[in-house]
Amino acid sequence: MSAGTTVVVLIAARPGSGDTSPAGSSKWPPGVFVGNPNPRIRDRLWVVLAERIHDGQAVMIEPAATEQGWSARTAGCDRWTFFLSAFAVLGDPASRAYYDKKIAQG
């Protein structure tokens, strides 16, 4: 993961958790989202996401000035289990290969 990369993982996001399009589909489907937003955009995105996740689950792994070089934010229900499962997935070789492929694609 490059120095400025932010990863957001959404699961169990109910339809309408995000802003909706005219067709009514959610713009925030469950999934893994990887990007390099500036800190202001990243902080605002998290505020909106945390307000709207309701009974879903979200985690954001972001760059930070810590010994590890990252920090994590969680929102929604059963956050601790979800946080640990996000790291467990990266321990699986097939999941890790997919993650690395997506990082390489940008």
Side-chain angles (χ1 to χ4, degrees), residues 37-58:
N38 69 47
R40 181 182 292 175
I41 299 291
R42 184 177 60 229
D43 291 344
R44 181 64 186 139
L45 170 68
W46 185 255
V47 168
V48 171
L49 192 145
E51 287 173 352
R52 297 183 182 181
I53 197 67
H54 304 292
D55 57 349
Q57 299 170 345

Side-chain angles (χ1 to χ4, degrees), residues 40-106:
R40 181 182 292 175
I41 299 291
R42 184 177 60 229
D43 291 344
R44 181 64 186 139
L45 170 68
W46 185 255
V47 168
V48 171
L49 192 145
E51 287 173 352
R52 297 183 182 181
I53 197 67
H54 304 292
D55 57 349
Q57 299 170 345
V59 65
M60 177 186 285
I61 310 294
E62 60 189 326
T66 64
E67 185 175 335
Q68 297 84 7
W70 57 270
S71 66
R73 303 185 204 193
T74 61
C77 64
D78 197 19
R79 295 181 301 204
W80 186 245
T81 301
F82 175 60
F83 177 71
L84 292 177
S85 67
F87 283 103
V89 166
L90 292 178
D92 174 58
S95 296
R96 184 62 194 211
Y98 177 79
Y99 172 80
D100 290 339
K101 181 177 100 176
K102 291 298 182 182
I103 291 292
Q105 289 175 351

